[in-house]
Amino acid sequence: MKSFAILTVCVLFGLALGENQVDSHIEPFMFEDLINKTIEALRPDIPDPLKIANLTIKIPDGIDLLTGAANVSNFELTGLQGFQVPYLNLAVVGMRLNFTFVLPSINLYTDYWGDLTVANLVPFYGSGKANVHILNAEIQGSAQADLSHGISVKNLHIQLYVGSASFDIHGALDNEDFSQILSALLNDLVASFIDNHQKVISDILSPIIEGLINAILSGGNSSTTPTSATTA
């Protein structure tokens, strides 16, 4: 794969420099052209729209804020190919990858079902449609790069931030009036909620995003992911 060859050159060049320099890592200002080519080579493989036929989400054990399970179907996410990478760092020792992705504008459309409890106290259930428009989403992540069989990442951990989000949710508590109130509340509160609950969000989203990244790195360019996946 073209992108793999480029990244391999970056790594080997970094290893050679590492023998003579204390600072043994790759940063954009050092190999800007090579890294930009790698990123641009991958961009056409990003499914846009990203479609998921069915995704079951099980909240990991040990999280007090949120318990239960949820499911999304007919999921469609647009805007992924517009990503920007303001920071990328590959430490040669340990092959530790740190990065920041920015998504200027993304739109999410899905059918959903949920049976959840918030803070071990407040029930949330329902099913319906949800539309979300997010501006200036930023994903800060760290993972270990694995070059043993092509290129992949493992042990991914992310932190998510959003500039603003607009929600249009239907079917919450099986009540349309409540759904409109919830949509308005989320519009005002989601950015601060994400900031204050990074661990919960990381535990839920990291394995999903790791799977999507590895699917793209493996050369898959289908607009539809496998029909089901589960976080645990």
Side-chain angles (χ1 to χ4, degrees):
M1 182 178 178
K2 176 172 58 178
S3 56
F4 171 67
I6 295 170
L7 187 57
T8 300
V9 171
C10 290
V11 173
L12 293 176
F13 193 15
L15 284 169
L17 288 176
E19 295 180 356
N20 300 311
Q21 298 181 9
V22 174
D23 190 14
S24 57
H25 57 265
I26 297 172
E27 291 185 354
F29 65 85
M30 293 179 66
F31 305 116
E32 185 175 0
D33 289 342
L34 290 176
I35 292 177
N36 284 340
K37 286 178 181 178
T38 301
I39 293 170
E40 291 308 316
L42 290 173
R43 192 181 297 272
D45 293 332
I46 304 290
D48 199 348
L50 169 68
K51 296 180 180 181
I52 300 177
N54 188 66
L55 177 66
T56 299
I57 301 172
K58 182 180 181 297
I59 308 303
D61 294 334
I63 295 178
D64 295 331
L65 177 68
L66 200 63
T67 57
N71 176 270
V72 297
S73 58
N74 303 315
F75 177 99
E76 184 171 318
L77 184 65
T78 64
L80 292 180
Q81 284 194 359
F83 74 91
Q84 301 165 3
V85 188
Y87 178 73
L88 178 66
N89 174 287
L90 178 62
V92 172
V93 178
M95 297 300 292
R96 196 70 188 170
L97 179 67
N98 295 287
F99 61 86
T100 298
F101 285 174
V102 174
L103 294 159
S105 177
I106 55 177
N107 294 284
L108 182 157
Y109 312 92
T110 189
D111 297 321
Y112 78 92
W113 167 89
D115 186 4
L116 304 165
T117 301
V118 181
N120 289 321
L121 183 64
V122 181
F124 177 85
Y125 59 87
S127 61
K129 293 185 178 296
N131 305 321
V132 187
H133 177 55
I134 299 174
L135 294 176
N136 298 320
E138 180 176 304
I139 299 174
Q140 297 179 6
S142 64
Q144 186 172 6
D146 185 351
L147 303 180
S148 58
H149 300 286
I151 177 172
S152 62
V153 297
K154 59 184 180 181
N155 301 324
L156 175 71
H157 296 282
I158 64 104
Q159 286 187 295
L160 174 67
Y161 305 90
V162 300
S164 64
S166 176
F167 288 79
D168 181 21
I169 296 175
H170 302 272
L173 299 187
D174 298 329
N175 184 294
E176 200 58 26
D177 290 337
F178 176 79
S179 296
Q180 293 179 16
I181 294 171
L182 177 63
S183 297
L185 286 172
L186 289 173
N187 292 345
D188 294 334
L189 299 177
V190 68
S192 60
F193 178 88
I194 290 173
D195 285 347
N196 293 330
H197 300 92
Q198 287 290 346
K199 184 180 186 307
V200 175
I201 293 167
S202 178
D203 287 347
I204 294 172
L205 292 184
S206 292
I208 297 173
I209 294 176
E210 180 177 308
L212 293 174
I213 290 174
N214 285 331
I216 293 166
L217 291 174
S218 68
N221 56 8
S222 171
S223 63
T224 304
T225 67
T227 56
S228 65
T230 304
T231 65

